[in-house]
Amino acid sequence: MSPMRCAALLAGLLIVASAIAGASEDLPREKQRSSYDDMAPATRAMQDADTDNPGMLWVLDGEALWRAKTGSAARACADCHGDAKQSMAGVAARYPAFDAKRGGPVTLEGRINACRVENQNAQTLAYESRELLALSAYLALQSRGKPIAIDEKKLGETIAAGRDIFRQRQGQLNLSCAQCHDQHYGGKLAGNTIPQGHPNGYPLYRLEWQTLGSLQRRLRNCLTGIRAENHAYGSRELIALETYLMWRARGMSMESPAVRP
Amino acid sequence: MARALVNIPPKAKRGEVITIRTLMSHQMETGFRYSTTGAPIPRDIITTFIATYNGEEIFRAELFPAIAANPFITFTTVATESGTIELTWRGDNGFAASEQATITVE
Amino acid sequence: MPSTCKPSNLTSRRDALRLMGAATAGYALTIVRVTPLAATPADMRTAIEKITGGAKVSAGRVHLEIPPLVENGNTVPCAVTVDSPMTAADHVRAIHIVTEKNPQPNVISCRLGPRAGRATVSTRMRLSDTQTVVAIAEMSNGSFWSGSVNIIITLGACLEDLI
């Protein structure tokens, strides 16, 4: 990046920072807008055609893993869950879910790992590993077009905790997520349109990454962007943010595996 | 795992021009980047893509580091006869992968 | 990712972000390393001469299609179509794409023939910066034709972790 572009980016951030009022309401449902709608036609085309969408490479891997006998139990996901097209239809759209056994929220990735440990006698998979992305992409595909609907009664506390983080000013730039994604969406930041920051396409293929990535990877990027202290994958903070974002996007269609710039 | 996503129409009319769409999973490490310790990261790319139709070469591409990760290539061919279209990718560090599809020409 | 280096192959965003952070926090600016990898237009000329063997390249017949709005230089869709009947007597033998400022000018070189039916190929490429991209077609009669486009690249806002 040239110093000039860098300065432009910084100036953009500071303008946003200085033009901000206080805390606000949650994004109203009738204003919800997917980042897809702000993407250039070429990027949309990449998401629309399965033959052109690189995210489908992970889906194919996920399908193979779904059928593979794994762990010392030598069981495949499919041995218990059958055809994912039926058993997993709409499942990803209601994650994070409340896990009664653990008495707290569990993400889709966490749920996959729980099945690996408890039902396959296998090791957990790391966030952003090819296998975990592949399985989560395969499952999320079974929710494509389904409305996001998480259990707001059971997850009330987690949603509230996520909302607090979303609204809290943080980092060296002293910005909150809400300042950009609730109050300035549609605006421009160094040539990019600020989106509403919805989680409806994950895991997704980000052109910047040149690979598939989880929602938590994206959240960590945004925390880096405002130069705030980052949280570990699977941490309470990121799970809370993820849960709040899914609640905030309730009713929106899942697009996984989406493509984003 | 070298996963490919290939789209070849299973059926075509004789003489019809068909489009073949291909995506191959590969990071296409350019050789121009440095690790956090400042050490150069060696190049690791797909260098060659070849398509054959019933054994005869119909298309070939030489790829350079400027091809985006998970190379996407589309090209066309005339559906001449029923048979097999084979696609082969080769690259650095012995990378080799291939995919086949059959086509029925009427 | 093998490192925390930016996925972008061609620029050093880590340095840029460091710079941005330092500026924000009011520190003095120190640029740690500049990566002088951009090829010069002279390199592009050399690459084109290698392709043509020094033969003359005429402008025309080659349409290089790149969407006007490129959202990320890491993955830029592009399609090349050449006006040609694609017959045994008159066809396109090869299509090449080269760039002006990438560290290495060549992007792709395709070999095709009358069996292609149409002279159309598409791919996705990396562009390090705002620059000119040139497509060159080699015809069966040995002539070379070209088309070019100037592409503007913008950068993403939220990037990867720093170390």
Side-chain angles (χ1 to χ4, degrees):
Chain A
M1 189 174 353
S2 73
M4 222 176 71
R5 280 232 193 102
C6 183
L9 179 61
L10 182 60
L13 289 168
L14 296 181
I15 288 162
V16 172
S18 59
I20 299 304
S24 62
E25 318 261 285
D26 289 309
L27 179 76
R29 283 201 55 183
E30 65 277 9
K31 295 213 169 134
Q32 285 171 343
R33 180 179 169 86
S34 171
S35 311
Y36 175 88
D37 299 323
D38 296 321
M39 295 196 313
T43 317
R44 271 189 252 161
M46 222 183 276
Q47 172 173 325
D48 290 344
D50 283 348
T51 51
D52 294 14
N53 183 339
M56 294 308 285
L57 293 168
W58 278 261
V59 168
L60 290 176
D61 278 350
E63 193 174 9
L65 288 170
W66 180 259
R67 290 188 229 282
K69 303 235 180 257
T70 304
S72 58
R75 277 201 212 100
C77 317
D79 290 342
C80 296
H81 293 291
D83 184 354
K85 285 191 182 66
Q86 270 133 45
S87 65
M88 293 291 147
V91 169
R94 51 179 175 74
Y95 271 72
F98 184 78
D99 181 344
K101 240 189 244 167
R102 290 162 198 80
V106 60
T107 59
L108 186 63
E109 290 86 350
R111 180 63 247 184
I112 293 168
N113 270 330
C115 269
R116 280 186 57 96
V117 171
E118 291 160 19
N119 295 319
Q120 292 183 314
N121 280 333
Q123 303 241 305
T124 57
L125 296 169
Y127 262 93
E128 311 313 300
S129 63
R130 178 110 192 158
E131 292 94 333
L132 189 54
L133 287 170
L135 279 168
S136 57
Y138 180 58
L139 295 191
L141 176 71
Q142 315 308 327
S143 287
R144 192 147 79 175
K146 298 267 190 330
I148 293 175
I150 68 164
D151 190 338
E152 63 179 20
K153 284 205 193 82
K154 290 197 184 134
L155 292 169
E157 267 175 47
T158 311
I159 293 171
R163 181 189 288 115
D164 287 347
I165 302 174
F166 194 77
R167 291 187 177 168
Q168 175 198 328
R169 279 171 174 262
Q170 49 185 325
Q172 289 174 17
L173 299 184
N174 197 28
L175 286 167
S176 73
C177 318
Q179 285 175 325
C180 283
H181 294 303
D182 278 347
Q183 293 157 24
H184 285 84
Y185 62 80
K188 289 278 178 191
L189 186 60
N192 300 284
T193 302
I194 301 176
Q196 290 181 346
H198 289 302
N200 57 327
Y202 290 82
L204 57 72
Y205 192 88
R206 195 170 175 215
L207 305 186
E208 171 66 27
W209 295 333
Q210 306 184 57
T211 183
L212 203 77
S214 69
L215 176 59
Q216 295 205 0
R217 179 170 181 185
R218 192 62 178 83
L219 299 181
R220 286 169 54 86
N221 283 184
C222 264
L223 284 160
T224 302
I226 54 178
R227 308 196 59 74
E229 198 185 323
N230 230 319
H231 303 293
Y233 283 107
S235 63
R236 217 160 22 97
E237 291 86 352
L238 290 187
I239 293 177
L241 260 178
E242 180 168 348
T243 309
Y244 172 66
L245 288 176
M246 286 296 272
W247 175 80
R248 184 172 168 267
R250 63 203 177 285
M252 291 180 74
S253 277
M254 292 284 285
E255 296 174 14
S256 316
V259 175
R260 297 285 183 267
Chain B
M1 255 184 293
R3 182 68 65 179
L5 187 59
V6 168
N7 191 260
I8 299 175
K11 270 194 187 137
K13 293 210 179 66
R14 193 174 308 276
E16 189 185 335
V17 179
I18 58 167
T19 299
I20 296 174
R21 311 174 81 77
T22 67
L23 261 171
M24 168 51 80
S25 61
H26 197 290
Q27 63 189 6
M28 296 295 281
E29 184 61 56
T30 62
F32 299 125
R33 302 196 311 154
Y34 293 88
S35 72
T36 32
T37 59
I41 302 172
R43 192 186 88 164
D44 184 5
I45 66 167
I46 293 176
T47 49
T48 313
F49 170 74
I50 300 166
T52 61
Y53 191 152
N54 285 342
E56 193 185 320
E57 185 174 309
I58 50 168
F59 181 83
R60 168 189 289 263
E62 189 184 350
L63 280 60
F64 294 88
I67 290 294
N70 304 304
F72 174 75
I73 297 175
T74 77
F75 60 96
T76 56
T77 194
V78 178
T80 49
E81 56 187 348
S82 296
T84 308
I85 294 178
E86 182 166 21
L87 308 171
T88 307
W89 293 259
R90 281 204 281 271
D92 295 335
N93 304 311
F95 181 88
S98 66
E99 287 283 324
Q100 280 191 356
T102 51
I103 179 166
T104 308
V105 175
E106 287 150 0
Chain C
M1 279 299 121
S3 79
T4 56
C5 208
K6 296 289 79 50
S8 163
N9 56 322
L10 311 167
T11 56
S12 179
R13 289 201 187 162
R14 198 147 60 89
D15 290 350
L17 262 180
R18 230 186 247 143
L19 178 71
M20 184 175 113
T24 325
Y27 300 134
L29 302 181
T30 18
I31 297 171
V32 182
R33 185 186 65 229
V34 179
T35 327
L37 278 171
T40 61
D43 288 339
M44 179 166 80
R45 264 202 308 278
T46 312
I48 293 175
E49 272 163 22
K50 242 180 160 172
I51 288 167
T52 60
K56 174 176 170 262
V57 182
S58 315
R61 294 184 67 178
V62 179
H63 310 278
L64 174 60
E65 223 184 295
I66 299 180
L69 220 146
V70 172
E71 292 186 298
N72 192 299
N74 286 343
T75 313
V76 180
C78 57
V80 181
T81 303
V82 186
D83 298 332
S84 164
M86 293 306 272
T87 57
D90 182 1
H91 58 262
V92 176
R93 275 208 296 243
I95 294 174
H96 310 265
I97 302 176
V98 291
T99 62
E100 194 182 8
K101 290 189 192 156
N102 276 359
Q104 185 182 355
N106 304 69
V107 176
I108 194 168
S109 290
C110 305
R111 303 238 141 238
L112 56 167
R115 288 197 63 174
R118 272 199 298 270
T120 301
V121 296
S122 67
T123 187
R124 294 171 185 155
M125 66 180 164
R126 293 165 165 156
L127 288 176
S128 63
D129 205 343
T130 294
Q131 59 179 306
T132 302
V133 180
V134 180
I136 296 165
E138 180 187 342
M139 306 297 184
S140 50
N141 69 1
S143 66
F144 289 89
W145 296 81
S146 76
S148 67
V149 178
N150 189 48
I151 302 298
I152 296 167
I153 301 293
T154 57
L155 292 161
C158 295
L159 302 174
E160 289 286 87
D161 311 334
L162 313 161
I163 287 227

